[in-house]
Amino acid sequence: MSLSTIIHAGMRQYERPPLALVLMGGGARTAYQVGVLRALATLLQSHPGVSRSFPFQILVGTSAGAINAAFLAGRAREGLQAFEELAAFWGRLRSIDVYRLNTRRWLRFSRVALALELSRYIQLRGALLDNTPLAELLRQGISLGNIESALRSKTIDALAVTGSSYTSGVHWTFCQTASRETFQPWTSPGRRAEFQPLTIAHLMASSAIPFLFPATALTVEGREEYFGDGSMRQITPLSPAMHLGAQKILVIGVGQPERSGLAAALLGTHGRGPSLGSMAGHVMASVFHDTLQADVEQTRRVAETINGLPQEAVTAMRYKAINVLVMAPTQSLDALALQYTDELPATIQDALGALGMLRGGGGALASYLLFEQDFVQSLMAMGELDATARAAELIELITGP
């Protein structure tokens, strides 16, 4: 993230400093975010003197985090109840509601034949899975009209989702605010922002996990381009929130803690090296790698540098450091997913098994596809525990010291 972005964000003056919620991507793993937010709502409801209105003015989402952000924006006028409704939405999810894989049943008895069939399927569609069910789920679950109402009523100031263009290689942020005229787009090397009323296609594009889900066409700058998951090439996840005016930011990622505890599972037996499953999991972890720490560290260094200037200069700049709080899982999601891989749909187990992707660390790959209730509820419970452990920090971020 550029220094000018951080400095300009800190020099804006607001009577009420805007609070942003940034939700990172990670497929089924983003159920963790739901647990954090549900716990946050409980904390706010039990805290004396705190408003029951929706606490975030700016919502930024990537991949499945974009779906969560859009869902909340559509229900922001319901206040803290929006978080409980998001939990109920995830509580009804199943893998068959998100994707499907249609293969002939007899192929499951021949891994070679199944692998060949899948290869042809991928070449035809450009992806392993059909995510048409997800589009229907989003049409039923996300109220696009209510997003516009929340913006016009000033319940929220902005909603933004990100996508990565396969056509141009540019990482785009699509922003919806109450007025196109007041929106100020930004351009950086490899990154662009544009005002666009968000649609289901934007959410499908942002959440199109490479190789697993097909690309989605969107129109940018008057031309059609094909987009995949917004986590790809996302090098400055805090930048959109700052460009949109945030002075306080809560970021919820689903990045993997240190993986040393899974070393034996990730490597093949008898020193044969990593299996296809562990390599696939590593690739997915690279796609969804949270680059938050670099942004957070740079933001802190800018604040320290400016505050180290002579007091007269600091006063003249009227700079106020951007307050960033990062929430992320304290336990391994790969290890958790290993307990539930048997709950994947049979066709998916057969397909991934035929491709050798469930052996040796297959839980890493499965964790992005396990939209099944035991795994989802475990993730939400983890999020609630992590948020409760940091209750004081969360309350202070929202209400002030």
Side-chain angles (χ1 to χ4, degrees), residues 167-317:
T167 306
S168 65
V170 173
H171 189 271
W172 281 89
T173 300
F174 302 103
C175 305
Q176 184 173 357
T177 59
S179 170
R180 180 188 295 269
E181 288 69 29
T182 58
F183 174 74
Q184 297 181 347
W186 62 90
T187 300
S188 300
R191 293 182 287 124
R192 304 281 192 280
E194 184 171 281
F195 178 95
Q196 288 196 16
L198 297 178
T199 66
I200 298 302
H202 288 92
L203 301 179
M204 294 295 289
S206 182
S207 59
I209 301 174
F211 305 114
L212 297 179
F213 296 152
T216 298
L218 296 174
T219 300
V220 291
E221 296 182 334
R223 64 181 180 275
E224 186 177 75
E225 296 188 6
Y226 282 89
F227 281 79
D229 202 291
S231 296
M232 297 185 290
R233 304 175 71 92
Q234 187 179 37
I235 58 176
T236 58
L238 297 185
S239 178
M242 290 191 184
H243 276 290
L244 291 168
Q247 291 200 314
K248 300 188 293 183
I249 304 174
L250 171 62
V251 192
I252 310 179
V254 291
Q256 180 65 60
E258 291 296 327
R259 306 174 77 190
S260 57
L262 287 176
L266 292 173
L267 290 176
T269 57
H270 307 298
R272 293 174 185 168
S275 67
L276 282 177
S278 62
M279 287 191 286
H282 184 72
V283 168
M284 286 295 104
S286 299
V287 169
F288 291 102
H289 175 64
D290 287 354
T291 51
L292 289 174
Q293 197 56 42
D295 263 8
V296 173
E297 286 302 319
Q298 188 170 13
T299 303
R300 289 173 178 166
R301 284 198 299 269
V302 169
E304 291 170 359
T305 300
I306 291 177
N307 289 332
L309 296 173
Q311 188 58 46
E312 296 80 4
V314 176
T315 302
M317 291 181 68

Side-chain angles (χ1 to χ4, degrees), residues 29 32 253-257 290 327-333 382 386:
R29 298 157 72 107
Y32 172 84
V254 291
Q256 180 65 60
D290 287 354
M327 292 290 304
T330 55
Q331 302 174 44
S332 168
L333 303 191
M382 185 189 300
D386 287 351

Side-chain angles (χ1 to χ4, degrees), residues 19-32:
L19 172 62
L21 175 64
V22 177
L23 300 175
M24 305 294 287
R29 298 157 72 107
T30 53
Y32 172 84

Side-chain angles (χ1 to χ4, degrees), residues 1-209:
M1 181 163 45
S2 68
L3 293 177
S4 63
T5 299
I6 300 173
I7 293 173
H8 287 158
M11 292 178 66
R12 294 191 182 101
Q13 301 299 312
Y14 295 98
E15 181 178 341
R16 175 191 176 197
L19 172 62
L21 175 64
V22 177
L23 300 175
M24 305 294 287
R29 298 157 72 107
T30 53
Y32 172 84
Q33 298 170 349
V34 183
V36 171
L37 293 170
R38 184 161 67 175
L40 174 62
T42 301
L43 291 170
L44 293 175
Q45 287 171 341
S46 61
H47 197 77
V50 175
S51 169
R52 299 298 187 267
S53 60
F54 193 74
F56 301 102
Q57 291 76 56
I58 298 166
L59 296 167
V60 179
T62 299
S63 190
I67 293 173
N68 285 342
F71 185 98
L72 291 172
R75 287 165 172 75
R77 298 181 71 182
E78 300 176 26
L80 296 180
Q81 181 62 25
F83 301 117
E84 194 58 43
E85 291 189 18
L86 179 62
F89 174 79
W90 276 85
R92 296 188 294 270
L93 268 185
R94 300 294 186 274
S95 296
I96 58 173
D97 299 320
V98 179
Y99 57 81
R100 63 190 176 206
L101 176 61
N102 298 319
T103 57
R104 287 168 287 188
R105 294 193 64 182
W106 66 267
L107 289 173
R108 66 187 303 179
F109 300 108
S110 172
R111 288 197 169 189
V112 174
L114 181 55
L116 290 173
E117 176 78 1
L118 293 173
S119 177
R120 285 192 290 269
Y121 188 86
I122 292 172
Q123 291 179 35
L124 178 65
R125 294 186 52 85
L128 177 64
L129 303 175
D130 176 7
N131 60 350
T132 303
L134 175 60
E136 183 58 30
L137 176 73
L138 297 182
R139 291 189 189 99
Q140 295 177 6
I142 294 180
S143 175
L144 298 175
N146 285 347
I147 293 175
E148 182 66 22
S149 298
L151 290 165
R152 294 196 177 279
S153 66
K154 300 188 183 302
T155 305
I156 60 175
D157 297 334
L159 169 64
V161 304
T162 64
S164 185
S165 172
Y166 289 120
T167 306
S168 65
V170 173
H171 189 271
W172 281 89
T173 300
F174 302 103
C175 305
Q176 184 173 357
T177 59
S179 170
R180 180 188 295 269
E181 288 69 29
T182 58
F183 174 74
Q184 297 181 347
W186 62 90
T187 300
S188 300
R191 293 182 287 124
R192 304 281 192 280
E194 184 171 281
F195 178 95
Q196 288 196 16
L198 297 178
T199 66
I200 298 302
H202 288 92
L203 301 179
M204 294 295 289
S206 182
S207 59
I209 301 174

